[in-house]
Amino acid sequence: MSSMTHAGHVACIGEAMAELMLGQDAQYPAGLGFAGDTLNTAVYLKRFLATPAETAFINVPGQDPLSGRMLSFIEAEAISTGRIRRSSDCLIGLYAIAADDTGEQMFNYWRNKSAARTLFQSTVGVEFTALSGFDVLCLSAITLGILQSHVRTLLIRAFDKLRREHNVKVVFDSNYRPTLWESVEQVQNNIADAWRVTDIALPFVDDDMALFNDSDEVAVLARLKSYGIIRDAMKCGVSGPWSLGEPGSNDTSCMTNMDTENITIVDMTAAGDSFNAGYLAATLNSANDQDAMSAGRQCSLRDIAHAGVIFT
């Protein structure tokens, strides 16, 4: 695909939680960390963007010491926290994590009343002033899933307005977590609406096929094209990402030719989030689509060879 003009100010939007690592051996020691799909992407994105311009994280933590430690972690990664509002009566979510012998993770969550669920809500109602001034806005279906239904709808409308009036680019990852949603119909409608205001699509093939009953990868890409999306990197696990193909072509099954041998899998946590960051950083640094997918792939491979969410 043609390269994309570099964007200087990027915001990732979503929930960050405290991560309790239960500890099972020297490779997976017990400990406390902070993570979340869009936060993971923000950390890697800041590291790989070839610019000193702002990378921000938009979230709602609490006023408690644990929330304060999370903000310190984010700021230590040189990510802007200036748009973060702190809740006076809610705490951040928490999850516990353990890994099996294959690197697959087992999670338990305590997030139903997390402060992040009040994102974009204030004493005067729903407002989106935190989104102003950015060139690129990144979110996921998890971001949508934690919000109240009416806030989701208004947020998608806000993205549409920002695209039309300010040429903001929207990046969306359709991370599907069924427990966050009221019904399958609700998530189908909201994600389809989100795709319609998306400029750069970063779906995971299994999520989209399960949610929309697509028969295969080609069907997923055809549906994404029907929403008007023109740039896409669909994550397909170890087989490598697929793209929508060159503008004007009929190729909707352009899989990258990447070596999948000799991959050491230690921890699959944040594999997709790290791919998103590598791909997006290369895209915003004006790489073509194939080079951007390769960059995403390499970032993901480094991530899964490392125990824990963020490699150093």
Side-chain angles (χ1 to χ4, degrees), residues 33 47 53 66 75 93-94 120 131 134 192 225-226 240 264 273 278 281 288:
R47 294 179 184 180
L66 190 57
E75 290 165 353
L94 168 71
F120 304 118
L131 302 179
F134 292 103
K225 269 195 170 182
S226 75
T264 301
D273 309 333
N288 63 39

Side-chain angles (χ1 to χ4, degrees), residues 26-275:
Q27 189 176 41
Y28 291 95
L32 175 69
F34 300 97
D37 65 334
T38 52
L39 175 60
N40 304 337
T41 295
V43 169
Y44 288 136
L45 185 61
K46 179 62 179 178
R47 294 179 184 180
F48 297 135
L49 274 176
T51 173
E54 181 182 20
T55 299
F57 186 61
I58 299 176
N59 172 244
V60 179
Q63 298 281 357
D64 58 289
L66 190 57
S67 292
R69 288 185 64 176
M70 183 186 73
L71 289 175
S72 296
F73 165 78
I74 296 171
E75 290 165 353
E77 292 287 344
I79 296 170
S80 172
T81 59
R83 307 296 180 94
I84 288 180
R85 173 181 64 83
R86 300 183 73 171
S87 171
S88 61
D89 54 3
C90 295
L91 306 176
I92 59 173
L94 168 71
Y95 70 95
I97 182 172
D100 63 22
D101 293 338
T102 68
E104 287 294 334
Q105 305 305 310
M106 298 170 286
F107 298 88
N108 295 103
Y109 290 91
W110 295 265
R111 72 195 303 187
N112 288 342
K113 296 182 179 180
S114 72
R117 290 180 176 269
T118 69
L119 191 60
F120 304 118
Q121 299 179 57
S122 70
T123 56
V124 298
V126 179
E127 60 178 357
F128 302 106
T129 53
L131 302 179
S132 63
F134 292 103
D135 301 297
V136 179
L137 297 172
C138 310
L139 77 159
S140 73
I142 293 177
T143 309
L144 296 181
I146 65 172
L147 302 177
Q148 294 183 25
S149 178
H150 73 287
V151 180
R152 293 176 202 147
T153 300
L154 294 173
L155 178 60
I156 292 169
R157 291 176 185 172
F159 288 140
D160 186 40
K161 183 176 181 180
L162 287 166
R163 292 172 77 226
R164 289 184 288 103
E165 297 183 2
H166 300 283
N167 196 32
V168 173
K169 303 301 181 185
V170 174
V171 182
F172 185 64
D173 179 346
S174 56
N175 267 341
Y176 176 39
R177 302 294 182 268
T179 57
L180 296 178
W181 297 87
E182 299 92 328
S183 67
V184 172
E185 182 181 13
Q186 180 79 62
V187 65
Q188 286 174 332
N189 291 336
N190 284 157
I191 289 183
D193 287 342
W195 283 138
R196 293 185 181 98
V197 298
T198 293
D199 298 284
I200 301 176
L202 296 170
F204 179 59
V205 65
D206 289 352
D207 286 345
D208 263 57
M209 288 178 65
L211 183 57
F212 291 96
N213 297 314
D214 295 320
S215 58
D216 55 24
E217 294 89 344
V218 175
V220 174
L221 291 176
R223 179 171 47 78
L224 291 174
K225 269 195 170 182
S226 75
Y227 299 132
I229 295 169
I230 60 172
R231 183 144 189 169
D232 163 278
M234 183 172 67
K235 300 177 287 287
C236 299
V238 296
S239 65
W242 292 39
S243 84
L244 286 172
E246 295 295 330
S249 77
N250 293 319
D251 183 7
T252 58
S253 57
C254 182
M255 186 171 68
T256 57
N257 182 20
M258 297 182 184
D259 181 16
T260 59
E261 296 181 0
N262 302 316
I263 297 174
T264 301
I265 299 177
V266 175
D267 187 338
M268 292 294 292
T269 306
D273 309 333
S274 55
F275 175 89

